[in-house]
Amino acid sequence: MVRAAGIDIGTNSFRLLIADLGPGKFVPSCKELNTVRLGEGLGADHLLQPGAIERGIAALAQFAGMIDHYQPRYIRACGTHALRLAANRDLFLARAHSALGFAVEVVDGAEEAALSLRGALFTGKGALEPPLLLVDVGGGSTEMIWLAEHGAPPMIRSLPIGAVNLTEAFAEIAPESLALAAMAGHVRARLKEGLTDLALPAAGCRVVGSGGTATSLGALDLGLAVYDENLVQNHVLGQGRLENIFAVLTALSSEQRLALPGLGEGRGRIIVAGAVIYRELLQLLACDEIVVSDGGLLEGILLSSLPSAAGL
């Protein structure tokens, strides 16, 4: 067994996973999530805000203590959309290096998507078999990965739409019904572009959702008071159920959404925008369900920290 760690520095959340791995073995010893909201206020000037930077460094300092305690042999930390976009990312990266004791890599959209696919297939335990379209809705971007069969090169598109930046972009439109209609139109146009590039088969495909939006929708559908990754993994969320959840969410205020059980800290602020992406996607594909994957980018980052000789 070998111990490894992965850190996902996302637009909304920072996550840490430490696990022991061996042939047929994956035993997590530490899993942490901190809702940093690094991309909050990342507007037209593309500047990380001082408060967001401080929250991020505090979260990484906390992770550093856990890494020191568990002593993983291999570690990789990856930043995604917010750090790809930020004009002042070098300031954050320098402070992150000091907090962690090692460098953070900023991965492009294609690598982020490939890592999400690797993590989802690994944690799916054989239940997630191609052909499939993996869709990871993050805070600042949505990665779509089409895998036709095992061994085939995946086709990847990274779209600049996510639960955080959509929420902020349409926040000033009132009433909310008009904001949601405008958001849906924007999302539909972006998704159409991405799906055209992927050239999916005419017969349709199975959609697998990973990331915080998908798992949160799965938890809501299951009625979980406390999130349970074992119940969420491979849960099938039907389109009709998604429509029902969306109707409930949009009937609530932002404060009421924040109080919903089963959602992570702060997820209620952005869950509607994330749900819009999946609603529009299913409608465009004429697909009637999403298979939810609890595993994805974070697990992919951890696995990618291992040398190829590890065979995992």
Side-chain angles (χ1 to χ4, degrees), residues 8-11 15 76 78-84 106-120 134 136-145 156-159 161 210-211 296-298 300-301:
D8 167 23
I9 299 176
T11 301
R15 299 183 295 157
R76 189 182 188 196
C78 295
T80 57
H81 182 81
L83 289 179
R84 288 196 291 268
V106 180
V107 296
D108 62 23
E111 184 173 2
E112 180 181 352
L115 291 170
S116 295
L117 178 63
R118 183 176 182 181
L134 179 68
D136 185 342
V137 175
S141 64
T142 291
E143 275 60 55
M144 300 195 300
I145 310 100
I156 294 170
R157 284 288 280 126
S158 180
L159 306 175
I161 50 173
S210 70
L297 177 59
L298 180 59
I301 292 171

Side-chain angles (χ1 to χ4, degrees), residues 74-99:
Y74 301 105
I75 309 173
R76 189 182 188 196
C78 295
T80 57
H81 182 81
L83 289 179
R84 288 196 291 268
L85 200 61
N88 58 342
R89 73 176 185 180
D90 288 345
L91 168 65
F92 178 86
L93 292 173
R95 293 190 59 189
H97 194 161
S98 296

Side-chain angles (χ1 to χ4, degrees), residues 201-288:
C205 61
R206 180 167 56 160
V207 175
V208 177
S210 70
T213 293
T215 55
S216 295
L217 292 172
L220 288 173
D221 190 40
L222 288 163
L224 300 181
V226 178
Y227 185 83
D228 186 329
E229 62 188 45
N230 294 313
L231 293 176
V232 170
Q233 179 67 44
N234 300 330
H235 174 66
V236 178
L237 174 60
Q239 185 179 26
R241 294 290 300 166
L242 175 58
E243 291 298 329
N244 291 341
I245 292 169
F246 188 77
V248 170
L249 290 173
T250 54
L252 299 175
S253 67
S254 179
E255 291 73 20
Q256 289 171 320
R257 292 170 198 150
L258 286 169
L260 286 172
L263 296 185
E265 179 191 354
R267 178 63 58 177
R269 294 187 182 92
I270 60 174
I271 187 64
V272 169
V276 166
I277 297 175
Y278 281 114
R279 287 182 78 228
E280 293 301 320
L281 180 70
L282 291 186
Q283 291 171 16
L284 286 170
L285 293 175
C287 183
D288 58 6

